Amino acid sequence: MLLESVNAKQDLQQLLDIVKEESEKKGLELNRKKTEVMVVSRKQELPIINIYIKGTRLKQKDQFKYLGSLISSDGRNNSEVASRIAQAKTNFQKMKTVLTNKNISIRTRRRALECYIEPILMYGCEAWTISKQTQKKLEATEMWFLRRMLRISWTAKKTNDTVLEEAHTTRLLISKIRKRQATFFGHVMRREKLENLVTTGMLEGKRSRGKQREKLIEGLTDWLKAGKSLEAIEATKDRKKWRTMIANAVKQGT
């Protein structure tokens, strides 16, 4: 699958032609049935793009999976987060006999949850932009796990604080995600490679109308209480300082 966020269709066609020609030199051939294109755009109506391989027009998709993560044409991660939540709940149900077994201590069951279920939920979370709506969904999922582990019926009408107290824990999921994001972000900033440019670079063109989308660095800056985004980026250069900032943010929680 070929992904490009460019405006010039000719550039994309030219790029594909180069890939095709270089592949053929090595005895390889692009599979026209398996090769697809996707346009990343903020517009409500996606631009139609006509890209061809040997006269065959490639199918245009609005989302696809890449290395296990769902990439959407709108550039958002709402679909990916929803998919992760669904997969985590499905696997929770598969381990229900263990995770809801009251003969096993809640601490041990929470450790099993952290070991087998949370990695499924948080896979690829380093690249998520966590909006308020997304955070609410993730926090609701965290409570969904605990309520079922404690076998609390929805008719019991117990508050989340009561559930957390019975589970001998606090809300930890968002802090775990933010910690992983901050650790990965610091690594990317210190490398100063292509990933750094993608994260901090500016796109040409005019700003769209209305409220601007939240950026990953903005969410991390707020969580770390690092002041401005530029100050957070500068802090990543000092590994010890950056680790201390992350540790302090984790202690303070969300």
Side-chain angles (χ1 to χ4, degrees), residues 113-149:
L113 183 77
E114 293 171 1
C115 180
Y116 296 106
I117 306 302
E118 287 187 358
I120 297 172
L121 176 62
M122 296 192 293
Y123 178 83
C125 68
E126 292 84 355
W128 291 356
T129 300
I130 303 178
S131 62
K132 290 182 179 180
Q133 182 181 9
T134 299
Q135 181 168 331
K136 287 181 180 179
K137 289 182 179 180
L138 291 169
E139 289 177 341
T141 302
E142 182 178 22
M143 297 309 302
W144 188 92
F145 292 146
L146 294 177
R147 286 179 181 274
R148 276 152 184 77
M149 290 170 70

Side-chain angles (χ1 to χ4, degrees), residues 126-190:
E126 292 84 355
W128 291 356
T129 300
I130 303 178
S131 62
K132 290 182 179 180
Q133 182 181 9
T134 299
Q135 181 168 331
K136 287 181 180 179
K137 289 182 179 180
L138 291 169
E139 289 177 341
T141 302
E142 182 178 22
M143 297 309 302
W144 188 92
F145 292 146
L146 294 177
R147 286 179 181 274
R148 276 152 184 77
M149 290 170 70
L150 296 170
R151 294 189 177 183
I152 298 175
S153 172
W154 65 272
T155 58
K157 296 183 179 179
K158 289 189 177 182
T159 64
N160 288 337
D161 290 337
T162 301
V163 174
L164 290 168
E165 185 177 348
E166 291 184 16
H168 307 294
T169 187
T170 58
R171 290 186 183 273
L172 301 171
L173 182 59
I174 298 300
S175 288
K176 290 179 181 179
I177 292 174
R178 286 301 191 189
K179 181 180 179 181
R180 290 177 63 166
Q181 289 183 332
T183 302
F184 180 72
F185 183 78
H187 175 70
V188 168
M189 291 300 102
R190 286 189 295 272

Side-chain angles (χ1 to χ4, degrees), residues 8-59:
K9 298 179 182 179
Q10 292 180 350
D11 291 345
L12 183 55
Q13 181 66 65
Q14 185 178 15
L15 175 63
L16 184 61
D17 290 341
I18 293 174
V19 172
K20 172 181 166 295
E21 291 173 5
E22 293 300 320
S23 298
E24 290 176 347
K25 291 179 182 179
K26 303 296 183 181
L28 304 173
E29 184 176 354
L30 290 178
N31 190 317
R32 284 172 282 183
K33 293 183 179 180
K34 293 183 178 180
T35 305
E36 298 167 330
V37 296
M38 188 178 82
V39 177
V40 177
S41 174
R42 292 177 294 183
K43 298 178 180 179
Q44 292 184 349
E45 292 187 10
L46 285 176
I48 302 299
I49 186 168
N50 296 315
I51 303 297
Y52 297 87
I53 294 181
K54 292 184 177 181
T56 301
R57 182 179 180 276
L58 299 181
K59 184 178 179 181

Side-chain angles (χ1 to χ4, degrees), residues 40 65 77 88 90 98 111-112 126 154 247:
V40 177
K65 272 201 171 185
N77 50 243
T90 298
V98 174
R111 290 184 66 181
E126 292 84 355
W154 65 272

Side-chain angles (χ1 to χ4, degrees), residues 55-69:
T56 301
R57 182 179 180 276
L58 299 181
K59 184 178 179 181
Q60 183 171 344
K61 303 281 286 186
D62 57 0
Q63 61 179 222
F64 72 97
K65 272 201 171 185
Y66 179 70
L67 298 179
S69 294

